[in-house]
Amino acid sequence: MAAQLLSTSGLEKPYVSYAVAADYAMLSVYLLVLLISVTAYRARSSPTRASNVVLVMPSVATRSVKDSLLYAISHNRFLGLPIYVVIDEGAELEDDLKRLSGVNVVVVPKDYRRDLIGKGRALRYFVENYVRPDVWYVFLDDDNLVLDDKFLYEIPYYERKGYAAFNPVLVPRQGRSPIAFVMDFARYLDDISFFRFFTGLLKRPYLGLHGELLGVKGSALLALDAFNEPSKVEDYRLAIKIVRSGLKTWQSATRVSILSPNSVRDLIRQRTRWHSGIFESWRDAPASMKAAMVLKSIVRTVGMLGIWLLVPVTHSLLFALLALPTSAAYWYVYFYGAKAARKLKLVVTIPAFWLIEGLGFFYGLLKVGSREFIVIDKRL
């Protein structure tokens, strides 16, 4: 019976055995990275709180982001830090923002550096005109809610040791789309595995950096000539410069709540911008970053495709052996997301997630070379 099962599944063929072995090796890599990251890394802190820190929130400042932006400003005041909001001249919310107490509004002139794109243009203006070498600048997106102040106690410790930048752990917050919310839990899984392993344990952002709670010391921003190139993914471009310069990074214990896209369409558009920008920056990335990205992409792609395992579309034992291992982690985190959304019925949609993520990758390829900077709906 066993022999017959192996025969019908094709496992007796040598190349099939190699495929199964490769898949399990891939699983071993993923689980090993996750295990090491979770158990071997802890952000260090000092007993004193940093006082040389400011928050910087670039925003398109349109009506579509008004609710999320004003809520983020109000929430993040608990940190007790100076807040700078960087907007374009003539932005719809310019007058509203200027009426807020305790908020420094930085207006980027219309004729400033039209060669730069989107958020990167605003950040470059801020670096040129406001950055001081002895201050830490913590960049936030206009929907980000910082959940604790641990990073403020970490900065003195890492500053003494010469570190230049840090990132947090991202935690999804539900917007108007429960499916997009569930899918965003993959970002949390990536943060506590591969991003923690590279940015934290190895002290190098080989997979890039998040724009959410991106903390960088002013001296590093100036030395790296930060945000001075047109890019849809200015945080990834900064990571390239940090890796090439040999500067050290850490992953903070601070968690940041990020608003998930309000629709599946917006989620695809968001991923499209990410992939398009990374493809455009690929030739400038060092070999170490390319290798890390390829490894993570292979592991994640196989895992996403393996999600189809629990759909009764095949009776192939071979398919099961190939797909099950690498999809286990994603099944778990998506199930957790469905539970967090209080919509366990969304579990039945999980097999479609690989297709949705794949569309972002495909459209990203098509958008290479485009100067369009995609801004998604952030209405609450």
Side-chain angles (χ1 to χ4, degrees):
M1 180 67 182
Q4 183 180 6
L5 185 61
L6 288 174
S7 178
T8 57
S9 65
L11 286 174
E12 80 287 353
K13 297 178 181 179
Y15 73 87
V16 173
S17 300
Y18 297 149
V20 173
D23 191 66
Y24 274 81
M26 217 174 297
L27 171 69
S28 298
V29 169
Y30 187 88
L31 292 184
L32 184 62
V33 168
L34 180 61
L35 180 64
I36 292 174
S37 300
V38 170
T39 60
Y41 179 80
R42 291 288 184 277
R44 306 293 294 274
S45 61
S46 70
T48 56
R49 188 178 191 265
S51 58
N52 57 334
V53 184
V54 300
L55 293 181
V56 183
M57 301 177 67
S59 176
V60 293
T62 60
R63 297 294 172 190
S64 64
V65 304
K66 180 179 179 179
D67 292 344
S68 61
L69 173 59
L70 295 182
Y71 183 53
I73 292 172
S74 175
H75 170 88
N76 292 320
R77 288 181 187 273
F78 86 93
L79 293 167
L81 301 176
I83 298 176
Y84 289 80
V85 179
V86 189
I87 62 174
D88 282 332
E89 181 182 355
E92 293 176 359
L93 301 181
E94 183 173 341
D95 292 338
D96 300 73
L97 292 169
K98 287 181 176 179
R99 285 195 290 267
L100 295 178
S101 62
V103 175
N104 304 287
V105 181
V106 176
V107 179
V108 181
K110 289 183 178 179
D111 59 354
Y112 173 76
R113 292 293 302 272
R114 303 308 300 179
D115 59 308
L116 299 180
I117 301 173
K119 187 169 70 173
R121 176 172 171 270
L123 294 180
R124 181 59 196 173
Y125 181 81
F126 186 85
V127 169
E128 285 185 358
N129 295 279
Y130 291 86
V131 167
R132 291 167 31 198
D134 58 336
V135 175
W136 283 81
Y137 297 90
V138 179
F139 302 102
L140 287 172
D141 283 349
D142 52 17
D143 62 271
N144 295 170
L145 307 180
V146 183
L147 300 182
D148 60 73
D149 65 351
K150 293 176 183 176
F151 72 97
L152 292 173
Y153 291 89
E154 295 165 1
I155 286 175
Y157 174 86
Y158 287 102
E159 185 174 36
R160 287 194 298 270
K161 294 184 174 294
Y163 285 65
F166 67 88
N167 250 175
V169 174
L170 304 181
V171 181
R173 181 171 84 256
Q174 187 167 349
R176 298 185 178 187
S177 170
I179 290 179
F181 173 62
V182 174
M183 291 185 67
D184 258 356
F185 271 87
R187 299 183 68 187
Y188 172 73
L189 182 63
D190 288 342
D191 262 4
I192 64 172
S193 56
F194 280 100
F195 277 92
R196 179 172 294 176
F197 183 78
F198 291 124
T199 304
L201 202 59
L202 298 188
K203 308 178 183 65
R204 297 289 187 274
Y206 290 130
L207 288 178
L209 290 163
H210 304 311
E212 298 92 345
L213 203 80
L214 169 57
V216 192
K217 191 169 183 182
S219 57
L221 288 169
L222 296 171
L224 295 173
D225 201 21
F227 313 121
N228 200 24
E229 306 85 15
S231 177
K232 303 165 191 168
V233 285
E234 66 293 327
D235 39 17
Y236 189 77
R237 294 288 308 190
L238 180 63
I240 290 175
K241 290 187 172 185
I242 288 175
V243 170
R244 287 196 177 280
S245 68
L247 294 173
K248 294 185 291 185
T249 60
W250 81 93
Q251 187 188 64
S252 173
T254 287
R255 299 194 171 203
V256 174
S257 172
I258 56 170
L259 183 65
S260 294
N262 278 336
S263 66
V264 172
R265 178 177 178 270
D266 268 353
L267 183 141
I268 294 172
R269 294 175 70 238
Q270 180 191 63
R271 272 46 167 183
T272 294
R273 178 176 68 82
W274 294 348
H275 290 303
S276 176
I278 290 173
F279 290 143
E280 291 169 355
S281 304
W282 189 254
R283 67 178 181 179
D284 298 322
S288 55
M289 292 186 73
K290 292 177 180 177
M293 184 65 74
V294 168
L295 173 64
K296 174 182 170 291
S297 297
I298 290 174
V299 171
R300 184 169 184 178
T301 300
V302 172
M304 292 294 290
L305 289 174
I307 284 172
W308 281 93
L309 175 65
L310 296 187
V311 179
V313 296
T314 178
H315 297 291
S316 170
L317 175 62
L318 170 61
F319 186 83
L321 285 172
L322 288 173
L324 178 60
T326 47
S327 63
Y330 286 98
W331 268 104
Y332 176 80
V333 76
Y334 286 141
F335 180 84
Y336 181 85
K339 185 178 178 182
R342 297 181 180 179
K343 292 182 181 290
L344 285 178
K345 63 183 180 181
L346 291 178
V347 169
V348 301
T349 68
I350 291 176
F353 291 179
W354 75 273
L355 177 61
I356 296 172
E357 292 282 6
L359 286 173
F361 181 89
F362 175 73
Y363 289 135
L365 284 172
L366 297 180
K367 288 287 187 178
V368 170
S370 167
R371 284 183 56 84
E372 178 186 7
F373 187 84
I374 297 171
V375 179
I376 62 174
D377 176 26
K378 295 184 179 180
R379 288 174 294 177
L380 299 181

